[in-house]
Amino acid sequence: MEAFTTHRGILAPLDRANVDTDQIIPKQFLKSIARTGFGPSAFFDWRYVLNGDPNPEFELNAPRYADRSLLVTRNNFGCGSSREHAVWALAQDGYKVIIAPYRGEGDDYIPGFADIFKNNCSKNGVVTIELSEAEVETIFQAVYGEEGLEATVDLEKQQLTLHGETEITFDFDYDPSVKNKLLKGLDDIEESLLYLEDIEKFEQTHATWIHQ
Amino acid sequence: MAKTLFDKIWDRHVVRELPDGTSLLYIDRHLVHEVTSPQAFEGLRLTGRKVRHPELTFSTMDHNVPTDDTRLTITDPVSKAQVEALESNCKENGIHLYGIGDDHQGIVHVIGPEMGITVPGLTLVCGDSHTSTHGAFGTLAFGIGTSEVEHVLATQTLRQKKPKTFKVEFTGKLQPHVTSKDMVLKLIGIIGTAGATGSVFEFCGEAVESLTMEARMTICNMAIEGGAKAGLIAPDQTTIDYVLAKDRPFVPKGEALEKAIEEWKKLPSDPDAKFDRTLVIDASKIAPQVSWGTSPGMVIDVDAPVPGLDEVPGYSASDVQKALDYMGLKAGQSLTDCKLDTVFIGSCTNSRIEDLRRAAKVLEGKKKADHIKLLVVPGSQQVRKQAMEEGLDKIFIAAGAEWRWAGCSMCLAMNPDKLAPQERCASTSNRNFEGRQGAGGRTHLVSPEMAAATAVAGHFVDIRNWNGGN
């Protein structure tokens, strides 16, 4: 996996909550046995009209976002199907960072991202940043207010900076294990195989309750 | 210290704690299907790694397969290539495959329990979010992405952060014709589609204990639609009876079985075990549920009006408006007035023998409404066979249904079964996302009984007081 340290790019908005992975990459593209070629199909049903032309009403199709590489959206992004194709599609469509808000606390807590999707992002070098709803609203307004607005993500410092007329910096939390992996571009399998002896030892006494 | 069912399973599978704060978790069973595995096998090839435990890995074809008479010959070249890739990957790695034409082929989450691959107390994963289904056996089962599929193939482990526990107690008894599908839809309506993110449910209480294994699988199947990592139900006599009911080839035998049962009986949560979160739902008050929107959390009692823009907790007014527009509905209208085009009975949520029996009971001696296309797709070839032995196929066919072979079919419309734009469908599946059953298609999630009644009436009815169309 390619390491992620810092990234600066143009922000684009997707003002919807609960965007599911069926929307990010519809089923007809899941038939591929390759790991590449998904980029142009990201958000397919929203992005194109029936004859295959870009849908002018889909906000990410606006020319001002043509060169975007950061996405700001609403909560529970990536819910539904576990398809990693959704992350491949976004990454191959040029997105390196996705920003979404968490909401509430305790029992009312709603995260920015669905579990499996977030995990899949971490395997593909895509950074998922969760901020408060108020912070994300600020970002949406800044994006709408200034064409070509750029932002920088510094993963080491856990900071997101908007380079608007006045710079605004947001601090974000990041799971330390995922952060370290992203910063170094580590391969999970290689890391886990360092513990092969532990796995072998475990297997000697562990019952898997299967008839062979 | 008192432990929950989840804690007991988790602790039994930790190979070691890792310095980064995750646990290296041993995986007892790995289920593989054609859609999410080819890139994982390719990854192994590129790195020269081998499948560590092919004998713990099981494979079937379900998402792509046609379910009509053309089932043995896939004409779509891309689907065909994917199915062939799975065949050669399984052959190359010595993995059990229940392929097209096999007597035991079926939806991965139906055949696991059927073949005795799923038993209590395991960790079980699959590159499919509805893996949570197997939690009905008191097994920690969850969906993973393709990178993790590769990780499990190579190491038989996963690196995992310990999730939280969320107990949902269903008290009381269900009303007649109200099912476990209605229980889980009600729950998701309450907590929303992200309400349980980062948690593992344990479903318990009188209404859960009295459910059959098939009905328990329906609840756990949709745990993911509430955002949960997994759903669990404590194994009890019902579970053990199911495991032993038939000759399930991978269930331990003889002394090994006795030992296993002894261990399974220790799995239920200790009486004073603490959960991170608890919710109590009175099952006797649950009405048949129908989803009205484009997210499983957008669900109402069948006799309730479609909600207004500010009446859906967890969804903004603009999201509700988008859902209403997509579904062609108006706030305040009654769903029972809604005319349907298609009824789909099937999917890993509701395609087991009991689901088919319940639907058949409603359809017996009746005919579907003329304008309805009714599709009945059993979850596995074994379910199909059993249904035919019980004569259920005759009831479905007499009612005007298409009686199909096993597969995922119109749940996600990756095979030729799909809705046309704006077609409205009552579906026993699990997701009503935009375009899920075909671009522009409109999905309403319901139980098998509700789906069957809808097929006869041609519109939604309250199954509790429906007179059978007479």
Side-chain angles (χ1 to χ4, degrees):
Chain A
M1 187 174 75
E2 203 180 318
F4 185 110
T5 48
T6 64
H7 173 74
R8 179 169 174 150
I10 293 174
L11 266 163
L14 181 61
D15 188 9
R16 285 182 85 126
N18 302 298
V19 172
D20 59 78
T21 53
D22 273 77
Q23 304 317 316
I24 300 173
I25 186 87
K27 81 269 297 166
Q28 63 268 36
F29 303 106
L30 271 49
K31 295 175 180 177
S32 168
I33 57 172
R35 203 183 261 264
T36 53
F38 297 100
S41 310
F43 303 117
F44 187 85
D45 288 350
W46 292 338
R47 187 171 179 171
Y48 304 103
V49 291
L50 279 181
N51 70 3
D53 288 341
N55 174 5
E57 287 178 18
F58 181 48
E59 61 181 332
L60 291 175
N61 282 344
R64 62 191 285 184
Y65 304 125
D67 296 320
R68 77 285 170 286
S69 56
L70 297 92
L71 183 71
V72 58
T73 185
R74 302 294 184 184
N75 61 58
N76 198 28
F77 187 81
C79 60
S81 160
S82 60
R83 57 188 73 167
E84 195 162 321
H85 311 64
V87 179
W88 299 336
L90 292 172
Q92 289 160 22
D93 201 26
Y95 295 100
K96 296 191 176 307
V97 176
I98 309 169
I99 304 157
Y102 59 84
R103 175 197 288 176
E105 48 191 301
D107 288 356
D108 297 326
Y109 178 78
I110 293 176
F113 300 94
D115 260 350
I116 305 177
F117 176 82
K118 187 167 147 183
N119 198 23
N120 286 340
C121 282
S122 78
K123 314 285 181 194
N124 290 276
V126 175
V127 169
T128 48
I129 297 176
E130 295 189 73
L131 296 170
S132 72
E133 283 195 300
E135 288 170 320
V136 168
E137 189 53 38
T138 303
I139 298 173
F140 265 99
Q141 293 316 319
V143 171
Y144 289 134
E146 185 182 330
E147 189 165 338
L149 178 72
E150 292 193 5
T152 297
V153 173
D154 185 327
L155 185 59
E156 177 61 50
K157 289 189 188 153
Q158 295 180 207
Q159 283 183 335
L160 166 74
T161 303
L162 301 189
H163 305 292
E165 271 181 33
T166 50
E167 288 207 336
I168 316 173
T169 295
F170 304 93
D171 294 316
F172 56 84
D173 290 334
Y174 224 81
D175 181 327
S177 64
V178 178
K179 176 180 167 180
N180 182 50
K181 207 175 68 176
L182 286 167
L183 284 172
K184 295 181 180 156
L186 297 176
D187 175 83
D188 257 355
I189 300 179
E190 208 171 301
E191 290 288 292
S192 297
L193 285 174
L194 296 176
Y195 301 101
L196 191 58
E197 274 182 29
D198 295 275
I199 297 171
E200 286 168 350
K201 197 169 152 220
F202 180 89
E203 285 173 336
Q204 285 169 13
T205 54
H206 178 71
T208 54
W209 293 324
I210 192 162
H211 179 71
Q212 295 291 353
Chain B
M1 208 181 96
K3 283 182 170 186
T4 64
L5 164 62
F6 165 77
D7 296 326
K8 293 180 191 183
I9 302 172
W10 180 271
D11 292 351
R12 223 190 133 248
H13 289 88
V14 175
V15 173
R16 67 171 287 165
E17 303 298 345
L18 300 180
D20 67 1
T22 61
S23 307
L24 193 63
L25 202 66
Y26 198 74
I27 302 301
D28 294 322
R29 301 287 189 278
H30 188 188
L31 308 181
V32 171
H33 64 79
E34 76 275 22
V35 177
T36 55
S37 67
Q39 296 87 352
F41 283 109
E42 181 65 14
L44 289 188
R45 262 191 296 277
L46 291 173
T47 48
R49 292 176 180 133
K50 294 248 169 307
V51 177
R52 182 165 176 78
H53 283 294
E55 80 286 5
L56 300 177
T57 312
F58 296 86
S59 187
T60 189
M61 296 168 182
D62 51 9
H63 285 62
N64 267 308
V65 301
T67 58
D68 57 14
D69 290 337
T70 68
R71 71 194 176 98
L72 299 177
T73 44
I74 297 183
T75 48
D76 175 352
V78 193
S79 287
K80 192 162 180 257
Q82 195 167 56
V83 161
E84 286 170 355
L86 184 61
E87 269 169 10
S88 72
N89 286 330
C90 288
K91 202 171 166 195
E92 192 180 314
N93 292 286
I95 294 168
H96 309 266
L97 168 67
Y98 303 106
I100 294 175
D102 192 298
D103 273 357
H104 296 282
Q105 176 266 337
I107 303 176
V108 65
H109 308 310
V110 177
I111 69 167
E114 198 171 86
M115 301 302 287
I117 297 165
T118 312
V119 293
L122 307 174
T123 48
L124 181 155
V125 296
C126 174
D128 190 286
S129 58
H130 292 112
T131 307
S132 56
T133 309
H134 309 262
F137 289 78
T139 260
L140 181 63
F142 52 94
I144 55 178
T146 299
S147 294
E148 289 192 318
V149 169
E150 187 179 337
H151 193 285
V152 178
L153 289 172
T155 69
Q156 205 59 35
T157 66
L158 276 177
R159 304 158 81 90
Q160 291 285 305
K161 261 214 141 123
K162 196 171 183 177
K164 293 183 170 168
T165 52
F166 186 168
K167 174 165 122 175
V168 181
E169 184 179 357
F170 288 96
T171 57
K173 288 189 174 63
L174 288 172
Q175 298 170 44
H177 307 297
V178 178
T179 69
S180 64
K181 179 67 165 283
D182 303 301
M183 291 164 73
V184 71
L185 283 172
K186 183 79 195 174
L187 167 66
I188 298 163
I190 294 169
I191 66 166
T193 53
T197 306
S199 299
V200 169
F201 285 124
E202 180 175 336
F203 302 113
C204 61
E206 185 186 351
V208 173
E209 286 161 22
S210 59
L211 295 174
T212 63
M213 286 314 293
E214 285 88 349
R216 291 180 188 187
M217 284 188 249
T218 301
I219 294 200
C220 289
N221 172 274
M222 289 192 70
I224 179 70
E225 310 311 335
K229 184 169 191 75
L232 288 170
I233 294 174
D236 58 9
Q237 198 54 47
T238 304
T239 321
I240 291 171
D241 289 347
Y242 178 96
V243 169
L244 301 182
K246 287 187 176 178
D247 179 26
R248 306 190 190 278
F250 297 101
V251 169
K253 311 275 183 266
E255 200 184 324
L257 174 64
E258 281 167 33
K259 265 189 172 164
I261 291 177
E262 211 174 290
E263 293 302 313
W264 296 343
K265 286 184 172 166
K266 296 178 194 160
L267 286 171
S269 295
D270 298 329
D272 46 351
K274 296 268 182 297
F275 292 82
D276 294 302
R277 187 178 169 190
T278 302
L279 178 69
V280 179
I281 296 174
D282 182 350
S284 69
K285 296 216 166 69
I286 297 175
Q289 301 291 298
V290 184
S291 74
W292 58 267
T294 53
S295 164
M298 294 173 164
V299 64
I300 49 175
D301 295 355
V302 63
D303 53 358
V306 171
L309 298 188
D310 297 320
E311 292 169 356
V312 192
Y315 296 91
S316 70
S318 79
D319 284 340
V320 173
Q321 186 63 59
K322 281 180 185 135
L324 289 172
D325 291 346
Y326 181 86
M327 293 298 291
L329 296 171
K330 290 200 165 51
Q333 89 174 80
S334 164
L335 281 180
T336 49
D337 296 336
C338 228
K339 200 177 155 198
L340 277 296
D341 304 299
T342 300
V343 172
F344 171 62
I345 298 175
S347 87
C348 59
T349 313
N350 282 126
S351 66
R352 297 178 183 81
I353 189 67
E354 182 187 291
D355 301 312
L356 300 189
R357 283 182 195 140
R358 292 183 84 137
K361 203 164 177 199
V362 174
L363 288 169
E364 191 161 15
K366 300 191 182 73
K367 280 220 172 288
K368 70 171 180 68
D370 287 342
H371 67 278
I372 294 275
K373 176 187 165 87
L374 172 60
L375 209 59
V376 184
V377 187
S380 71
Q381 305 303 6
Q382 289 297 303
V383 168
R384 184 175 199 272
K385 189 166 159 239
Q386 187 177 352
M388 291 172 82
E389 281 162 13
E390 295 180 15
L392 306 185
D393 59 321
K394 293 195 177 67
I395 296 172
F396 292 130
I397 292 165
E402 294 178 32
W403 170 243
R404 295 295 190 85
W405 300 84
C408 298
S409 182
M410 205 187 265
C411 172
L412 87 166
M414 249 187 107
N415 78 343
D417 304 324
K418 51 183 75 127
L419 296 180
Q422 304 194 342
E423 236 183 276
R424 192 178 293 282
C425 177
S427 178
T428 66
S429 57
N430 40 57
R431 288 187 174 135
N432 50 343
F433 296 153
E434 284 185 27
R436 173 80 177 179
Q437 296 190 291
R442 295 164 170 170
T443 303
H444 295 275
L445 303 175
V446 289
S447 72
E449 284 185 58
M450 282 286 286
T454 303
V456 174
H459 55 83
F460 287 116
V461 296
D462 186 341
I463 182 89
R464 292 171 301 179
N465 50 38
W466 182 56
N467 68 0
N470 299 320

